[in-house]
Amino acid sequence: MKTINNSKSWTDLSAPVTNKMVHWPGEPEVSVCKLFDMNKGGPANVTILSMSAHTGTHMDAPLHFIKNGKDISMFPIDMMIGPARIIEIKHDRFIPLEEVQQHEINPNERVIFKTKNSSSDWPKQEFKRDYIYLSLEAAGYLKEKKVSVVGVDYISVGGKDNGKAVHEMLLGNEIWVIEGLYLNGIKPGLYEMICMPVKIKDSDGAPARVIVRKI
């Protein structure tokens, strides 16, 4: 991933979906295979995908943790297009309230956290049990600030011990969540962002393509 140098250029923050890429423990292994292959005499090339909706770069809908919450097909398009701020976190275990409070976060802001998760090519590696996650205190602060979107650079915004509570705190207040962002080489700052999840009726999440350019 190259650092953005030109304000007119777009950079893709989406992790490529590949066969057997990292996935949440207990969910099916990612499978990308050919139903038909022209190199093997097929009439066309046709790919079959099999994976959880929460694989790679994806969005969580409120329905993920909120009973009768909005599904991913109901996401507000305007919310996923516009300015987003990438904030770099130094803490090496989680995203703490104290670091988040150092930044003047405004209502309706789209906030993306870059952590040491981005120092490795995590989509191609085994699942990291010590990934950096959002603390419940920081999630509560973002709720109080009435942000609209929270993004993180691993496949879950919450950790082993607080995952359910963090998801409920954000999604229960209709703060939409982007997980699995690929931020290697991306500098902190203000960006224009476009995030488009696949429109899957009644789904609690969906793969997403996320692109940004420096403002």
Side-chain angles (χ1 to χ4, degrees), residues 48-145:
I48 295 178
L49 304 177
S50 177
M51 63 184 192
S52 161
H54 300 272
T55 301
T57 306
H58 65 277
M59 277 190 63
D60 286 352
L63 184 60
H64 187 32
F65 275 88
I66 306 301
K67 187 176 182 180
N68 300 320
K70 291 181 179 178
D71 70 50
I72 200 67
S73 72
M74 300 175 182
F75 89 101
I77 293 177
D78 289 346
M79 188 179 290
M80 292 300 132
I81 301 175
R85 182 153 42 133
I86 296 178
I87 294 173
E88 188 162 14
I89 297 296
K90 302 299 184 182
H91 200 285
D92 64 357
R93 291 196 300 116
F94 54 85
I95 300 170
L97 172 62
E98 293 74 19
E99 273 198 76
V100 177
Q101 285 178 322
Q102 293 174 11
H103 303 271
E104 189 175 340
I105 294 175
N106 301 308
N108 299 314
E109 192 167 6
R110 304 169 183 89
V111 180
I112 294 171
F113 293 108
K114 178 182 179 181
T115 73
K116 77 168 187 178
N117 294 330
S118 293
S119 64
S120 65
D121 196 7
W122 62 261
K124 299 178 182 178
Q125 299 173 354
E126 295 292 323
F127 179 77
K128 290 166 46 174
R129 297 192 177 277
D130 60 346
Y131 65 90
I132 310 299
Y133 58 89
L134 186 67
S135 69
L136 185 59
E137 294 77 13
Y141 178 75
L142 294 170
K143 181 199 76 171
E144 291 172 4
K145 288 293 183 177

Side-chain angles (χ1 to χ4, degrees), residues 165-203:
V166 166
H167 278 93
E168 288 176 342
M169 178 74 71
L170 299 177
L171 299 174
N173 289 279
E174 294 206 7
I175 299 171
W176 294 71
V177 175
I178 310 171
E179 297 173 328
L181 289 165
Y182 196 56
L183 301 179
N184 186 14
I186 304 299
K187 291 183 177 180
L190 193 61
Y191 293 81
E192 182 179 1
M193 181 185 77
I194 299 175
C195 172
M196 288 290 111
V198 179
K199 190 175 183 179
I200 307 173
K201 182 68 175 172
D202 298 327
S203 179

